[in-house]
Structures are given as C-alpha cells and as structure tokens.
Amino acid sequence: MAKLILTIDGEVAGTHFIDTPRFTVGSLDGSSLQLALPGVSRTHAVINTVGNDDILEDLGSTNGTLVNGKRINRHILQHDDVIEIAGCQIRYRSQKAASGPSLDRTMVIKGMAPEMEGASIPAAGLERAAAKKSAQSGGALRLGLARMTKGPQAGMDIELPRVLHTFGKPGVQVAVVNRRPHGYFLTHVEGRKPALLNGKSIGTEPQPLMPDDVVSVAGEEFQFLLK
C-alpha cells in the first residue's frame, strides 16, 4: 500500500496511507488528508488509484500543486516523488512504482491529448485482448462512442477521443474508459462495487471493450460502439 509522508517546516507531521480509490487532499473537514493551512483550497487535489497507478490531479486549486518542483494538472506518481502544496511537502512512497514508468505507459502518454498528460492505466496481462481488438479494427483504432441509454444523459452520443473518460458519480461509483493504442478498456476507480459490463461485474482489473458491449455505472447505462 502506498503512503504519503507529510513534512511541514522541515519536520515530519504524519504518515497517511492511500487506502481508498479516491484519496482527497484539502482544507475541508473530511478530506483524506486535511491540510487546514493558508493557501490550501477546500478541495485542493485528489489521488485516484487506477489499476496499479496512483494518479495525482489538481482540482483547480488557487495556488496549484507541484511535483518535484513542477506545477502539474495530472501526474502518475512515482516512488519518492515530492508533492508540494502551500509550502507543505508530501513524499510519495510505493514499491509498486519504484521501477518507474513502463513501456506501455510511455506508449499511452505519447498518444494522449495534452489535457490528460500523466494519466494512464497499465495493460499487464491484456496483450491477447488488445491483439484481438487491433485485428478487428484492421490494425488502426477507430474512434469509440458511448451511446447513453439510461440516466440524465440518455439519448446522447459521447465520443471518446481522450485517453481517459470518466463515467459515474464521485463518492458512489466511478469507472473510466481508457483509450489505448490497441483498443478501449473499462476500469473500476471508485465505489464499493465495480461497474457492470454486459450485466457482470468488471472486478478490479481493466476489461477490454467490444462493439455493442453495455456498461452500467452509478445508475447510468451506455452502449459502447466504434465509429
């Protein structure tokens, strides 16, 4: 389990474990890591655990979030990264991230939209599914489409050009559709129960999406299509 070591004014102020899929940082009471200090926004940042990755995201804070001295919007955390928020230093420690980004992550990062820089999901164990998807699409990935059939967005078609697209309701149930070089995958992010794919739980591992698959998450439902 990854942990965060908080340092304030050069002194260690505590250790916090990332023990939930959505770990919040802010001055608001009830934050996973509460920093009731000047310069910290109420909902300052969040760490989402997606597969084997912990992804840090600034939530539009007033003073920003830095990692190793550089301001970020989204960033895949690596072992010994130092997060800076309003003068506080938070060191990220995780043996699962100690080896650095994998080749697969690098491939995904090179092909994603600028606003999603630093966000990806590992594809370990999914090579055969990816190859099947690639063969089906003739070797070139076609644009994915979520045709909403249930929920507030019913009747809408949502194109999926970005590397990550989130579905569901934060605090209830959240899943992401991840666009990879060889296909689309559905991954559980948050909630006591994972989303359903064709009526069955997707579990905790990324699942490949095929045309006409039906996804149910947090009261919403959509049909996955390829344009």
Side-chain angles (χ1 to χ4, degrees):
M1 183 183 300
K3 65 181 179 180
L4 303 172
I5 302 173
L6 173 64
T7 302
I8 301 176
D9 295 330
E11 295 186 4
V12 176
T15 299
H16 302 264
F17 290 93
I18 301 177
D19 54 3
T20 61
R22 182 177 173 86
F23 186 97
T24 57
V25 181
S27 62
L28 190 66
D29 186 29
S31 299
S32 305
L33 173 53
Q34 184 181 15
L35 298 174
L37 298 168
V40 180
S41 298
R42 289 167 58 84
T43 53
H44 197 105
V46 65
I47 298 174
N48 288 310
T49 299
V50 181
N52 290 324
D53 290 327
D54 290 320
I55 302 173
L56 173 67
E57 179 178 358
D58 183 86
L59 297 177
S61 65
T62 301
N63 295 306
T65 301
L66 282 68
V67 175
N68 303 327
K70 296 182 179 180
R71 188 161 182 162
I72 60 95
N73 292 318
R74 292 179 179 87
H75 174 79
I76 297 177
L77 289 167
Q78 301 298 313
H79 183 66
D80 266 343
D81 273 352
V82 176
I83 305 164
E84 296 179 59
I85 295 178
C88 300
Q89 290 192 332
I90 306 168
R91 185 173 294 276
Y92 173 82
R93 305 299 300 272
S94 174
Q95 290 303 316
K96 69 181 180 181
S99 59
S102 66
L103 176 61
D104 176 70
R105 292 182 189 172
T106 302
M107 290 173 62
V108 173
I109 288 172
K110 286 182 178 178
M112 68 186 166
E115 67 270 20
M116 295 303 296
E117 184 173 356
S120 66
I121 302 174
L126 295 175
E127 290 84 357
R128 283 185 297 177
K132 182 178 179 181
K133 173 70 74 176
S134 180
Q136 183 190 46
S137 61
L141 179 62
R142 292 152 57 192
L143 181 64
L145 183 77
R147 178 158 292 169
M148 307 304 295
T149 57
K150 183 179 179 181
Q153 303 181 89
M156 294 179 59
D157 284 350
I158 301 175
E159 292 186 348
L160 306 171
R162 297 180 301 176
V163 169
L164 293 179
H165 196 106
T166 302
F167 291 91
K169 184 177 180 181
V172 179
Q173 188 181 47
V174 177
V176 295
V177 173
N178 174 219
R179 184 183 187 185
R180 295 178 171 281
H182 301 295
Y184 285 85
F185 294 82
L186 181 69
T187 305
H188 171 68
V189 173
E190 181 181 2
R192 188 170 59 87
K193 294 182 178 180
L196 301 180
L197 177 61
N198 300 323
K200 297 182 179 180
S201 173
I202 62 173
T204 58
E205 295 297 322
Q207 299 297 323
L209 285 171
M210 303 296 289
D212 296 324
D213 278 348
V214 176
V215 177
S216 303
V217 53
E220 292 186 322
E221 191 170 279
F222 67 88
Q223 181 182 22
F224 176 76
L225 302 169
L226 288 175
K227 294 187 69 176

